[in-house]
Amino acid sequence: MSAVRTSFRSSPVGRRLDHYLVSEVLPLLVGGLLVVVVLFLLAALVEVLAPILAKGANPLLVAKLMAFKIPDAIGRGLPIALLFAVLLAMSRLSSDSEIKSALAGGVGPVRLMVPVMVLALGVSTVSFLNSELLVPRAESQVLQTQRDILLDNPRVLVEEGTVFKDALGRAIYIDQILPGNELRGVRIIQMGPGQPAREIMTAERGLIEPGSATIVLYEGQRVTYRDAKPVTAASFEEARLPVQDLQASLNGTSDEVQPVNLPLGELRARIAAYRSQSLPVYREETALNRKFAEPLAAVAFGFFGVTLALYTFRTGGGLGLVWVMMLTFVYYATWSVFRIMGEQGALPPVIAAWAPDALYLIAGGVLLLLSTRR
């Protein structure tokens, strides 16, 4: 029997089986990826972008923002799409007795996994390269586009009590924005990290010049401080205040690139800098582990999908589309819970990042053991 299986591995029949299995999974992978990416983008459109469109945001800038979110959606969607594809393809092969025919023809369970696992490794590689090369650049463009939306029409982002920041460490408070980009109740505070205010500018009226990063203040006052005590005070009729790298978030989105979307070298450098200052690094260390765990989830999914198909074949059961979808999105739910716990320090970063993968590997191992005993 071992000789038969050895010859089968390199035989034309074995290669045809590999091609056949990949051809079954690959179209479902592409289709599943398209569905997942569209779902992620639709969720962003409904929760974040639709409200700012309703306030008059430039549709072209919003479309540009969505386009720059595609690499991140692909990175998150690739492993999930593979799990969906493997479960659906192997379920069909099991229900049509094609797995039975393969096993009867001398194909062992391990041999059946080989093409799926090779495909899973390919998906993991593509996912990692995407997260390392494309996502950091795209996320930087996302932040720049958010600033462009703000400068094009400030009303879409500003609500009463909204705070903006810029690269010079200034906090900009705006009570209200009226039609024509006119500001009311403007307060600009200059301070350093952990230090009291060094300068405060207030104005009853202001204006953000369209297409520029300049705030024009009218009928205001400027007060400087030293050791939290006022030093000078002066009134002005008009003042122009250029701002640098204005940071603005869209309805709760972040105004900075998330640690997991940074290149590896930059993320490691940030962790080292935070440690040297005795600052917590739960979020960054969780992100560092996620950089590897999330792409490699595809390998765990490939293994789990094949072993589940073998188990259902042995037991005479089957997987419907509803079960396939539930098992696919169980990962997303567990990933969300463990990620939050890791970022908050409730779990070690290694466990928080790798636990979802480990759950599918353990479940696959149990299913393989059970199926070989039947």
Side-chain angles (χ1 to χ4, degrees), residues 338-367:
F338 281 105
R339 175 184 61 83
I340 293 172
M341 295 180 70
E343 290 176 349
Q344 295 180 351
L347 283 176
V350 174
I351 295 177
W354 292 95
D357 295 10
L359 290 176
Y360 278 84
L361 286 173
I362 293 171
V366 171
L367 291 172

mmCIF file of all heavy atoms in Angstrom, residues 338-367:
data_model
loop_
_atom_site.group_PDB
_atom_site.id
_atom_site.type_symbol
_atom_site.label_atom_id
_atom_site.label_comp_id
_atom_site.label_asym_id
_atom_site.label_seq_id
_atom_site.Cartn_x
_atom_site.Cartn_y
_atom_site.Cartn_z
ATOM 1 N N PHE A 338 -10.395 38.425 20.970
ATOM 2 C CA PHE A 338 -9.008 38.249 21.415
ATOM 3 C C PHE A 338 -8.161 39.479 21.117
ATOM 4 O O PHE A 338 -7.276 39.837 21.899
ATOM 5 C CB PHE A 338 -8.393 37.005 20.763
ATOM 6 C CG PHE A 338 -8.807 35.714 21.406
ATOM 7 C CD1 PHE A 338 -9.722 34.875 20.807
ATOM 8 C CD2 PHE A 338 -8.277 35.332 22.633
ATOM 9 C CE1 PHE A 338 -10.112 33.689 21.404
ATOM 10 C CE2 PHE A 338 -8.648 34.153 23.244
ATOM 11 C CZ PHE A 338 -9.572 33.324 22.629
ATOM 12 N N ARG A 339 -8.426 40.139 20.000
ATOM 13 C CA ARG A 339 -7.662 41.347 19.660
ATOM 14 C C ARG A 339 -7.865 42.427 20.712
ATOM 15 O O ARG A 339 -6.894 43.040 21.185
ATOM 16 C CB ARG A 339 -8.095 41.860 18.285
ATOM 17 C CG ARG A 339 -7.447 43.183 17.909
ATOM 18 C CD ARG A 339 -7.985 43.689 16.583
ATOM 19 N NE ARG A 339 -9.408 43.923 16.620
ATOM 20 C CZ ARG A 339 -9.982 45.036 17.085
ATOM 21 N NH1 ARG A 339 -9.221 46.014 17.574
ATOM 22 N NH2 ARG A 339 -11.285 45.178 17.074
ATOM 23 N N ILE A 340 -9.111 42.653 21.081
ATOM 24 C CA ILE A 340 -9.398 43.689 22.080
ATOM 25 C C ILE A 340 -8.759 43.341 23.415
ATOM 26 O O ILE A 340 -8.169 44.205 24.087
ATOM 27 C CB ILE A 340 -10.921 43.862 22.225
ATOM 28 C CG1 ILE A 340 -11.509 44.443 20.934
ATOM 29 C CG2 ILE A 340 -11.253 44.767 23.410
ATOM 30 C CD1 ILE A 340 -13.011 44.480 20.906
ATOM 31 N N MET A 341 -8.845 42.073 23.817
ATOM 32 C CA MET A 341 -8.261 41.665 25.088
ATOM 33 C C MET A 341 -6.744 41.828 25.071
ATOM 34 O O MET A 341 -6.137 42.217 26.066
ATOM 35 C CB MET A 341 -8.653 40.219 25.400
ATOM 36 C CG MET A 341 -10.140 40.018 25.622
ATOM 37 S SD MET A 341 -10.580 38.302 25.979
ATOM 38 C CE MET A 341 -9.877 38.117 27.623
ATOM 39 N N GLY A 342 -6.118 41.548 23.939
ATOM 40 C CA GLY A 342 -4.671 41.721 23.835
ATOM 41 C C GLY A 342 -4.263 43.175 23.882
ATOM 42 O O GLY A 342 -3.306 43.544 24.565
ATOM 43 N N GLU A 343 -4.987 44.031 23.175
ATOM 44 C CA GLU A 343 -4.647 45.453 23.142
ATOM 45 C C GLU A 343 -4.845 46.126 24.496
ATOM 46 O O GLU A 343 -4.176 47.110 24.814
ATOM 47 C CB GLU A 343 -5.494 46.155 22.082
ATOM 48 C CG GLU A 343 -5.122 45.764 20.657
ATOM 49 C CD GLU A 343 -6.009 46.387 19.613
ATOM 50 O OE1 GLU A 343 -7.052 46.961 19.978
ATOM 51 O OE2 GLU A 343 -5.659 46.311 18.421
ATOM 52 N N GLN A 344 -5.760 45.592 25.300
ATOM 53 C CA GLN A 344 -5.999 46.161 26.623
ATOM 54 C C GLN A 344 -5.170 45.506 27.719
ATOM 55 O O GLN A 344 -5.285 45.887 28.883
ATOM 56 C CB GLN A 344 -7.491 46.052 26.958
ATOM 57 C CG GLN A 344 -8.379 46.895 26.052
ATOM 58 C CD GLN A 344 -9.850 46.776 26.393
ATOM 59 O OE1 GLN A 344 -10.259 45.949 27.207
ATOM 60 N NE2 GLN A 344 -10.667 47.617 25.767
ATOM 61 N N GLY A 345 -4.355 44.520 27.365
ATOM 62 C CA GLY A 345 -3.492 43.878 28.340
ATOM 63 C C GLY A 345 -4.171 42.803 29.155
ATOM 64 O O GLY A 345 -3.587 42.287 30.114
ATOM 65 N N ALA A 346 -5.400 42.417 28.785
ATOM 66 C CA ALA A 346 -6.101 41.356 29.513
ATOM 67 C C ALA A 346 -5.529 39.981 29.182
ATOM 68 O O ALA A 346 -5.689 39.035 29.964
ATOM 69 C CB ALA A 346 -7.594 41.390 29.196
ATOM 70 N N LEU A 347 -4.886 39.848 28.034
ATOM 71 C CA LEU A 347 -4.233 38.606 27.625
ATOM 72 C C LEU A 347 -2.836 38.935 27.106
ATOM 73 O O LEU A 347 -2.622 40.024 26.561
ATOM 74 C CB LEU A 347 -5.030 37.907 26.505
ATOM 75 C CG LEU A 347 -6.287 37.137 26.876
ATOM 76 C CD1 LEU A 347 -6.966 36.620 25.611
ATOM 77 C CD2 LEU A 347 -5.971 35.973 27.805
ATOM 78 N N PRO A 348 -1.880 38.004 27.250
ATOM 79 C CA PRO A 348 -0.573 38.223 26.616
ATOM 80 C C PRO A 348 -0.734 38.401 25.116
ATOM 81 O O PRO A 348 -1.564 37.721 24.497
ATOM 82 C CB PRO A 348 0.201 36.938 26.960
ATOM 83 C CG PRO A 348 -0.471 36.407 28.172
ATOM 84 C CD PRO A 348 -1.915 36.762 28.038
ATOM 85 N N PRO A 349 0.017 39.302 24.499
ATOM 86 C CA PRO A 349 -0.145 39.560 23.067
ATOM 87 C C PRO A 349 -0.016 38.313 22.198
ATOM 88 O O PRO A 349 -0.731 38.179 21.200
ATOM 89 C CB PRO A 349 0.975 40.561 22.770
ATOM 90 C CG PRO A 349 1.192 41.277 24.066
ATOM 91 C CD PRO A 349 0.980 40.243 25.125
ATOM 92 N N VAL A 350 0.885 37.405 22.568
ATOM 93 C CA VAL A 350 1.063 36.181 21.770
ATOM 94 C C VAL A 350 -0.218 35.361 21.758
ATOM 95 O O VAL A 350 -0.669 34.886 20.708
ATOM 96 C CB VAL A 350 2.238 35.350 22.320
ATOM 97 C CG1 VAL A 350 2.327 34.013 21.594
ATOM 98 C CG2 VAL A 350 3.553 36.114 22.167
ATOM 99 N N ILE A 351 -0.817 35.197 22.927
ATOM 100 C CA ILE A 351 -2.048 34.412 23.010
ATOM 101 C C ILE A 351 -3.178 35.129 22.281
ATOM 102 O O ILE A 351 -3.957 34.506 21.538
ATOM 103 C CB ILE A 351 -2.426 34.164 24.487
ATOM 104 C CG1 ILE A 351 -1.366 33.284 25.150
ATOM 105 C CG2 ILE A 351 -3.804 33.525 24.598
ATOM 106 C CD1 ILE A 351 -1.616 33.037 26.620
ATOM 107 N N ALA A 352 -3.287 36.429 22.477
ATOM 108 C CA ALA A 352 -4.367 37.183 21.850
ATOM 109 C C ALA A 352 -4.310 37.096 20.323
ATOM 110 O O ALA A 352 -5.351 37.005 19.664
ATOM 111 C CB ALA A 352 -4.294 38.647 22.289
ATOM 112 N N ALA A 353 -3.112 37.119 19.754
ATOM 113 C CA ALA A 353 -2.973 37.113 18.298
ATOM 114 C C ALA A 353 -3.108 35.713 17.707
ATOM 115 O O ALA A 353 -3.713 35.532 16.643
ATOM 116 C CB ALA A 353 -1.632 37.720 17.904
ATOM 117 N N TRP A 354 -2.555 34.715 18.395
ATOM 118 C CA TRP A 354 -2.484 33.373 17.819
ATOM 119 C C TRP A 354 -3.614 32.447 18.251
ATOM 120 O O TRP A 354 -3.788 31.375 17.659
ATOM 121 C CB TRP A 354 -1.149 32.730 18.164
ATOM 122 C CG TRP A 354 0.014 33.382 17.482
ATOM 123 C CD1 TRP A 354 0.819 34.357 17.978
ATOM 124 C CD2 TRP A 354 0.495 33.115 16.147
ATOM 125 N NE1 TRP A 354 1.776 34.718 17.067
ATOM 126 C CE2 TRP A 354 1.607 33.971 15.935
ATOM 127 C CE3 TRP A 354 0.107 32.242 15.149
ATOM 128 C CZ2 TRP A 354 2.313 33.965 14.745
ATOM 129 C CZ3 TRP A 354 0.818 32.234 13.957
ATOM 130 C CH2 TRP A 354 1.904 33.088 13.760
ATOM 131 N N ALA A 355 -4.389 32.825 19.265
ATOM 132 C CA ALA A 355 -5.444 31.939 19.764
ATOM 133 C C ALA A 355 -6.475 31.566 18.691
ATOM 134 O O ALA A 355 -6.860 30.391 18.599
ATOM 135 C CB ALA A 355 -6.129 32.561 20.983
ATOM 136 N N PRO A 356 -6.973 32.510 17.865
ATOM 137 C CA PRO A 356 -7.939 32.094 16.838
ATOM 138 C C PRO A 356 -7.382 31.045 15.886
ATOM 139 O O PRO A 356 -8.080 30.096 15.523
ATOM 140 C CB PRO A 356 -8.248 33.404 16.109
ATOM 141 C CG PRO A 356 -7.986 34.468 17.124
ATOM 142 C CD PRO A 356 -6.796 33.974 17.903
ATOM 143 N N ASP A 357 -6.106 31.193 15.463
ATOM 144 C CA ASP A 357 -5.487 30.177 14.604
ATOM 145 C C ASP A 357 -5.399 28.841 15.328
ATOM 146 O O ASP A 357 -5.704 27.784 14.764
ATOM 147 C CB ASP A 357 -4.074 30.619 14.194
ATOM 148 C CG ASP A 357 -4.077 31.859 13.327
ATOM 149 O OD1 ASP A 357 -5.142 32.487 13.198
ATOM 150 O OD2 ASP A 357 -3.010 32.198 12.786
ATOM 151 N N ALA A 358 -4.975 28.903 16.600
ATOM 152 C CA ALA A 358 -4.802 27.675 17.377
ATOM 153 C C ALA A 358 -6.120 26.932 17.543
ATOM 154 O O ALA A 358 -6.159 25.684 17.506
ATOM 155 C CB ALA A 358 -4.200 27.996 18.744
ATOM 156 N N LEU A 359 -7.209 27.664 17.714
ATOM 157 C CA LEU A 359 -8.516 27.016 17.878
ATOM 158 C C LEU A 359 -8.876 26.185 16.650
ATOM 159 O O LEU A 359 -9.375 25.057 16.777
ATOM 160 C CB LEU A 359 -9.589 28.073 18.140
ATOM 161 C CG LEU A 359 -9.532 28.772 19.499
ATOM 162 C CD1 LEU A 359 -10.593 29.875 19.578
ATOM 163 C CD2 LEU A 359 -9.738 27.773 20.631
ATOM 164 N N TYR A 360 -8.624 26.708 15.469
ATOM 165 C CA TYR A 360 -8.945 25.969 14.245
ATOM 166 C C TYR A 360 -7.984 24.805 14.031
ATOM 167 O O TYR A 360 -8.385 23.750 13.525
ATOM 168 C CB TYR A 360 -8.936 26.913 13.043
ATOM 169 C CG TYR A 360 -10.226 27.680 12.896
ATOM 170 C CD1 TYR A 360 -10.445 28.857 13.606
ATOM 171 C CD2 TYR A 360 -11.253 27.216 12.086
ATOM 172 C CE1 TYR A 360 -11.628 29.556 13.497
ATOM 173 C CE2 TYR A 360 -12.441 27.910 11.963
ATOM 174 C CZ TYR A 360 -12.628 29.079 12.670
ATOM 175 O OH TYR A 360 -13.818 29.764 12.564
ATOM 176 N N LEU A 361 -6.715 24.986 14.391
ATOM 177 C CA LEU A 361 -5.771 23.867 14.272
ATOM 178 C C LEU A 361 -6.139 22.739 15.225
ATOM 179 O O LEU A 361 -6.107 21.558 14.855
ATOM 180 C CB LEU A 361 -4.353 24.361 14.554
ATOM 181 C CG LEU A 361 -3.689 25.194 13.460
ATOM 182 C CD1 LEU A 361 -2.355 25.744 13.957
ATOM 183 C CD2 LEU A 361 -3.474 24.357 12.198
ATOM 184 N N ILE A 362 -6.483 23.080 16.461
ATOM 185 C CA ILE A 362 -6.869 22.061 17.439
ATOM 186 C C ILE A 362 -8.146 21.354 16.992
ATOM 187 O O ILE A 362 -8.248 20.110 17.051
ATOM 188 C CB ILE A 362 -7.053 22.697 18.830
ATOM 189 C CG1 ILE A 362 -5.705 23.184 19.362
ATOM 190 C CG2 ILE A 362 -7.676 21.702 19.806
ATOM 191 C CD1 ILE A 362 -5.803 24.016 20.623
ATOM 192 N N ALA A 363 -9.118 22.146 16.535
ATOM 193 C CA ALA A 363 -10.369 21.538 16.061
ATOM 194 C C ALA A 363 -10.106 20.622 14.873
ATOM 195 O O ALA A 363 -10.676 19.522 14.782
ATOM 196 C CB ALA A 363 -11.355 22.634 15.678
ATOM 197 N N GLY A 364 -9.221 21.028 13.967
ATOM 198 C CA GLY A 364 -8.883 20.175 12.834
ATOM 199 C C GLY A 364 -8.190 18.901 13.257
ATOM 200 O O GLY A 364 -8.464 17.820 12.716
ATOM 201 N N GLY A 365 -7.286 19.008 14.239
ATOM 202 C CA GLY A 365 -6.621 17.808 14.737
ATOM 203 C C GLY A 365 -7.590 16.832 15.369
ATOM 204 O O GLY A 365 -7.495 15.599 15.160
ATOM 205 N N VAL A 366 -8.540 17.347 16.140
ATOM 206 C CA VAL A 366 -9.551 16.474 16.761
ATOM 207 C C VAL A 366 -10.400 15.806 15.695
ATOM 208 O O VAL A 366 -10.684 14.597 15.766
ATOM 209 C CB VAL A 366 -10.425 17.286 17.734
ATOM 210 C CG1 VAL A 366 -11.610 16.450 18.227
ATOM 211 C CG2 VAL A 366 -9.600 17.773 18.916
ATOM 212 N N LEU A 367 -10.829 16.561 14.679
ATOM 213 C CA LEU A 367 -11.645 15.991 13.603
ATOM 214 C C LEU A 367 -10.883 14.926 12.828
ATOM 215 O O LEU A 367 -11.445 13.889 12.454
ATOM 216 C CB LEU A 367 -12.103 17.103 12.655
ATOM 217 C CG LEU A 367 -13.128 18.092 13.220
ATOM 218 C CD1 LEU A 367 -13.342 19.245 12.243
ATOM 219 C CD2 LEU A 367 -14.453 17.389 13.496
#
